[in-house]
Amino acid sequence: MDLTLDLTHRSVLVIGGAHAARRSIARYRAAGAAVHLVTESPAPSAAKAVEWPRSADGWRGLLSTMDLVVLVGATPAIDTTIAALATELRLWLTRERAAATGPVGHVTLVGGGPGDEGLMTVAALRALRDADIVYFDRLGPHDRLADWAPGAEFVDVGKLPGHHAVPQAEIERMIVASALAGQTVVRLKGGDPFVFGRGGEEVLACRVAGVPVSVISGVSSAIAAPAIAGIPVTHRELSRMFTVVSGHAPFTDEQLAHLVGLGGTIVVLMGIGTLPQLSAGLARHGMDAAMPVAIIERAFTDSQRTTVASIGTVVDSSAQAGIRSPAVIVIGEVVRLAHDADVAAVELLDHAARLAR
Ligand code: SAH
């Protein structure tokens, strides 16, 4: 059961090693509590250190001034003593996991989804909760980081389109260095870490440095941005495959011919700059000029916008609309199902359903 307590100005006693309890201490301080730490092995810490009581009476005296007691990785003997006193004093007691104490920390690459906090996974929120340091960029959700990772330091390695605020090699160096210093590191990325997110490179950098690394998948904008605009990337009898491509560099003739030959839905990320070359190239390789195209800009933000056109008209339409990154481009019959498409999608659905029978 989860219980939300208002801990503002409340006295919280944390019992455990200073290093093991560092995250618990940070969390209760962030919640506004006055945090006291009792530890057998004093170390510099953010909480006021209290001397380790030598008798049950000593413990009783100390606990009676507290509102909440937190046991972090306590021995069975301490756990029994404190639990009995907490019952006697009608004191709230909670037990928490010790933070990693090994010399090397851990890196978790976390997919934050396309920007809507509702599309963060439970695993992503858990990883953030345990983080000592979070490296994030702008495409992922970041407004509420302070709530999600109350014990963490934040580093914005923000990448604006076409502009890497922090070069990739430097990001890799930083996450590895933090982990080698014993920290629990979260690298929070937009969408899914392995969909044009350079997640593979960051995993390799960790492996090379001997840093344990894991990956938490996220909801990719390649699927979620079309979906929020009403476009399913597959639809029975209409599209039985979807291809996700990066448009950051111009397409070769061979690639364009392949894309036309596939016949399914094409989803383009980072494709606004190369859209004129892509649409002209697809038409040149035989794609019907009437093939529908949708561009979904800034999906899941207040300024989300969908522009629907066709391969033949998309360059003019996007110039007129003043389309900008970040945007997902969808090419295929499924675009007819978009909320903003001005064609009779119902007829199309009906037709597809009849074919499927
Ligand atoms: N790993 C990410 C993609 C990173 S590449 C993912 O899985 O979603 C960056 C590109 O993703 C942008 O150029 C844009 O094409 C797309 N993108 C990401 N978030 C978006 C959003 N909220 N709205 C529109 N496009 C988005």
Side-chain angles (χ1 to χ4, degrees):
M1 184 176 70
D2 277 334
L3 196 64
T4 306
L5 296 175
D6 181 0
L7 292 173
T8 321
H9 304 314
R10 295 296 185 152
S11 293
V12 173
L13 184 69
V14 177
I15 304 173
H19 189 71
R22 67 188 190 278
R23 233 177 265 136
S24 305
I25 293 168
R27 230 174 8 244
Y28 288 105
R29 282 174 64 90
V35 182
H36 308 264
L37 172 72
V38 186
T39 178
E40 275 185 310
S41 50
S45 119
K48 284 177 223 156
V50 181
E51 205 173 320
W52 187 267
R54 299 289 158 202
S55 65
D57 269 347
W59 277 114
R60 189 176 287 109
L62 176 58
L63 291 178
S64 61
T65 62
M66 298 292 156
D67 297 299
L68 172 74
V69 55
V70 183
L71 287 171
V72 183
T75 61
I78 289 295
D79 192 295
T80 309
T81 309
I82 303 300
L85 284 170
T87 309
E88 179 192 320
L89 297 167
R90 301 177 60 82
L91 194 65
W92 294 101
L93 168 75
T94 172
R95 296 177 177 86
E96 297 188 1
R97 236 171 348 113
T101 50
V104 174
H106 185 273
V107 172
T108 310
L109 302 192
V110 175
D116 178 359
E117 64 175 73
L119 293 179
M120 294 275 283
T121 65
V122 174
L125 292 174
R126 254 188 225 136
L128 284 168
R129 187 173 182 272
D130 285 346
D132 292 319
I133 187 160
V134 179
Y135 292 94
F136 68 100
D137 46 49
R138 314 266 170 95
L139 277 178
H142 53 268
D143 290 351
R144 292 195 48 216
L145 271 180
D147 296 333
W148 294 332
E153 177 192 339
F154 301 105
V155 183
D156 182 357
V157 290
K159 291 176 179 177
L160 297 170
H163 168 80
H164 289 204
V166 179
Q168 182 64 26
E170 180 62 11
I171 295 175
E172 288 163 20
R173 197 199 57 74
M174 291 194 296
I175 60 175
V176 165
S178 297
L180 290 177
Q183 289 189 300
T184 299
V185 182
V186 164
R187 169 74 176 107
L188 180 64
K189 299 161 109 38
D192 184 277
F194 284 171
V195 178
F196 306 131
R198 307 193 75 166
E201 292 160 65
E202 291 170 17
V203 167
L204 282 177
C206 291
R207 284 208 196 130
V208 166
V211 168
V213 57
S214 51
V215 179
I216 296 174
S217 300
V219 173
S220 179
S221 65
I223 297 171
I228 194 73
I231 304 169
V233 287
T234 69
H235 189 79
R236 202 165 147 81
E237 298 299 330
L238 208 56
S239 169
R240 54 183 298 197
M241 69 173 85
F242 63 100
T243 307
V244 182
V245 295
S246 163
H248 80 281
F251 294 84
T252 64
D253 273 330
E254 197 186 3
Q255 290 167 337
L256 291 162
H258 277 306
L259 286 174
V260 173
L262 282 169
T265 308
I266 302 170
V267 179
V268 191
L269 303 192
M270 298 180 279
I272 296 307
T274 51
L275 182 58
Q277 190 255 350
L278 175 65
S279 56
L282 292 174
R284 196 169 66 247
H285 284 86
M287 187 175 275
D288 184 355
M291 180 64 82
V293 180
I295 303 172
I296 305 108
E297 297 170 82
R298 299 174 296 278
F300 301 96
T301 68
D302 292 341
S303 60
Q304 174 180 316
R305 174 172 71 162
T306 306
T307 305
V308 176
S310 68
I311 279 294
T313 62
V314 70
V315 171
D316 284 348
S317 302
S318 58
Q320 260 165 32
I323 279 169
R324 283 184 296 124
S325 281
V328 172
I329 303 166
V330 190
I331 303 167
E333 296 293 347
V334 287
V335 167
R336 295 186 201 280
L337 304 175
H339 296 314
D340 298 356
D342 57 358
V343 287
V346 180
E347 262 174 46
L348 188 82
L349 278 169
D350 192 45
H351 178 62
R354 261 184 280 118
L355 285 175
R357 254 179 236 135

